[in-house]
Amino acid sequence: MDNAATALTFRAATDTDVDVLVALIESAYRGDASRAGWTTEADILDGQRTDPEGVRQVIKSPDSRLLTVERDGRVVACCQLEHRGTHAYFGMFAVSPALQGAGLGKVVIAEAERQAREEWGATEMHMTVISVRGDLIAWYERRGYRRTGEMSPFPYGEERFGIPLRDDLQFELLVKPLV
């Protein structure tokens, strides 16, 4: 087992995890704390990335789970998995900024893909990434995801998803076969 996978526990989040997960997701993407890692969106979005209600919705949805990753009893990463028929949706992915760049993200996404394939029979994993995030898209491409060119609009005006600092934001669909 490689170092990044050492002593990791994977489990579905519960209501008692909401505050810790919101803090983790915010720390990975927003504000000065996020700059410790490379996944920050602080230069393109201000405001919040998620909120307790959004996290709770994922936990409660019968077709999804918020996969929570612990090391030494501390939550260090998470991701959303949603069963959508023949494919699964991957989102709300966060790794503690202090642990980014050490291979933990690769281990988490591999486990998410395994669960979607084995538990739901998903043949593809889908995700959407803000199209101007070239470094992040390249990371996903190295994991086998491909750009589709299929774009969807950023929810401008809905501050619960963040306050855009530029006017060219949109989401691109990335897809990976799981079989």
Side-chain angles (χ1 to χ4, degrees), residues 48-128:
Q48 67 182 29
R49 170 71 187 253
T50 191
D51 55 25
E53 178 187 334
V55 170
R56 202 169 281 108
Q57 282 177 347
V58 173
I59 292 170
K60 295 289 189 201
S61 171
D63 293 323
S64 72
R65 75 177 53 136
L66 192 50
L67 187 61
T68 301
V69 185
E70 292 180 337
R71 178 182 282 154
D72 299 324
R74 202 180 58 138
V75 175
V76 295
C78 69
C79 66
Q80 171 191 7
L81 285 174
E82 184 175 322
H83 188 196
R84 295 183 178 177
T86 60
H87 76 271
Y89 179 79
F90 178 85
M92 215 176 272
F93 185 31
V95 173
S96 172
L99 300 175
Q100 289 178 19
L104 180 57
K106 293 176 197 174
V107 174
V108 174
I109 199 168
E111 175 62 13
E113 292 166 356
R114 185 196 68 75
Q115 287 190 20
R117 183 177 56 250
E118 293 181 9
E119 296 179 26
W120 294 332
T123 58
E124 285 185 335
M125 185 76 86
H126 291 196
M127 70 173 71
T128 54

Side-chain angles (χ1 to χ4, degrees), residues 18-29:
V18 170
D19 291 341
V20 169
L21 291 169
V22 169
L24 170 68
I25 294 162
E26 293 296 311
S27 75
Y29 291 97

